[in-house]
Amino acid sequence: MERNPPDGAGPVHVPFGHIIADEKWRGSQLAQGMQGKITVVFEDGLAPVDFYLSVRSCILYIKEADLVAGNSYRKRLVRVRNSKNLQGIIVVEKTRTSEQYFSAIQKFTVLDLGMVLLPVASQVEASCLIIQLVQEQTKEPSKNPFLRKKQAVISEASLLRTVQQIPGVGKVKAPLLLQKFPSIQQLSNASIQELEPVVGQSVAQQIHAFFTRSRNQEERFPFTATRSLSRACQLSYLLSGGRH
């Protein structure tokens, strides 16, 4: 089996109907939930990746404990995002304990890095999600169904949830904004004057200030400096396999 090069993530050959899992997941609830439904092959040294769905797509799993412990998970995400070989899917445990930290990883993953983030309540739920991805991939071997077939559903839901996190927006104004500005790139570049007819002057100023602060804060995180919000591609583009 083709292994990771020592200086970066991917590629790993994954037969259809299989998933390659890092050895650390052996015996976990997640791995036990997948066994018997798909073929799980354990390999050492897959870091920073937890699971490979295909030679081009992988999953990074962020546990509840990872969120509570701090931001150390960010380096893993950035390493995969900067890889030319892989498209990473971020699966995050969103529980009562970790919920207060979720908005921070959501902003970092989706807005700053432009990656796909999927919350799960537990490892059991995560195993069901991964099984579905692997099984559907087997049905259409010429394409990655997660990146193609489910593009519209996942991209729209992820984008809507992300926009709802912007200060002053919420569930009511988010759909209105996406009708006018259908991508993060367009929304982040919108002026206060362009935003006002949609959400009013006060919220327009909050949105504009939010993106301005995000750009300024990039200097505090050098590893994301090249992924500025003003150049962020829309999630549907990322899901279809595009790059910045």
Side-chain angles (χ1 to χ4, degrees):
M1 183 174 295
E2 190 176 1
R3 300 305 309 275
N4 289 358
D7 59 344
V12 168
H13 174 66
V14 185
F16 288 108
H18 292 60
I19 188 166
I20 309 301
D22 191 276
E23 182 66 33
K24 69 180 182 181
W25 289 99
R26 187 186 293 273
S28 66
Q29 283 187 327
L30 203 166
Q32 290 174 2
M34 293 188 292
Q35 288 177 343
K37 300 177 179 67
I38 57 175
T39 303
V40 182
V41 179
F42 294 97
E43 291 275 337
D44 283 319
L46 297 187
V49 173
D50 291 294
F51 305 96
Y52 277 92
L53 291 171
S54 71
V55 69
R56 294 282 297 169
S57 60
C58 65
I59 293 175
L60 283 77
Y61 194 92
I62 309 299
K63 298 180 181 179
E64 174 188 81
D66 298 329
L67 291 184
V68 176
N71 295 328
S72 59
Y73 61 82
R74 293 190 174 197
K75 292 182 179 179
R76 295 176 57 210
L77 272 58
V78 171
R79 184 177 171 189
V80 171
R81 181 62 184 90
N82 290 342
S83 171
K84 296 180 180 179
N85 302 312
L86 289 172
Q87 296 166 13
I89 301 162
I90 315 303
V91 177
V92 180
E93 288 183 5
K94 185 180 181 183
T95 65
R96 290 183 178 181
T97 301
S98 65
E99 187 171 7
Q100 60 182 308
Y101 307 98
F102 183 75
S103 60
I105 189 174
Q106 184 180 48
K107 175 187 176 298
F108 180 75
T109 301
V110 181
L111 289 179
D112 293 355
L113 298 184
M115 300 177 76
V116 177
L117 182 148
L118 298 175
V120 294
S122 64
Q123 290 188 22
V124 174
E125 183 177 322
S127 67
C128 295
L129 172 65
I130 295 174
I131 289 169
Q132 182 181 9
L133 296 178
V134 174
Q135 289 178 339
E136 292 189 359
Q137 185 174 13
T138 305
K139 295 176 185 176
E140 194 174 357
S142 63
K143 298 180 180 179
N144 184 320
F146 181 77
L147 299 177
R148 303 288 183 180
K149 186 178 179 180
K150 292 195 171 184
Q151 171 183 337
V153 175
I154 295 177
S155 64
E156 290 174 7
S158 299
L159 187 57
L160 181 61
R161 287 195 298 267
T162 299
V163 174
Q164 288 174 2
Q165 299 298 319
I166 299 174
V169 177
K171 295 182 179 179
V172 176
K173 295 183 174 64
L176 299 177
L177 282 168
L178 289 174
Q179 289 178 10
K180 177 69 174 179
F181 310 100
S183 73
I184 292 296
Q185 179 184 20
Q186 295 177 34
L187 183 57
S188 66
N189 288 333
S191 65
I192 294 177
Q193 292 73 21
E194 292 173 322
L195 293 166
E196 278 185 11
V198 183
V199 295
Q201 182 178 15
S202 176
V203 176
Q205 291 174 344
Q206 291 183 58
I207 295 171
H208 189 267
F210 170 79
F211 284 108
T212 300
R213 285 196 302 269
S214 296
R215 293 188 187 99
N216 293 338
Q217 287 174 354
E218 284 177 351
E219 295 179 0
R220 297 172 55 192
F221 301 99
F223 47 78
T224 63
T226 60
R227 310 291 180 187
S228 68
L229 289 174
S230 62
R231 298 192 303 274
C233 291
Q234 56 184 320
L235 290 182
S236 59
Y237 176 72
L238 289 164
L239 287 169
S240 65
R243 305 291 297 183
H244 286 297

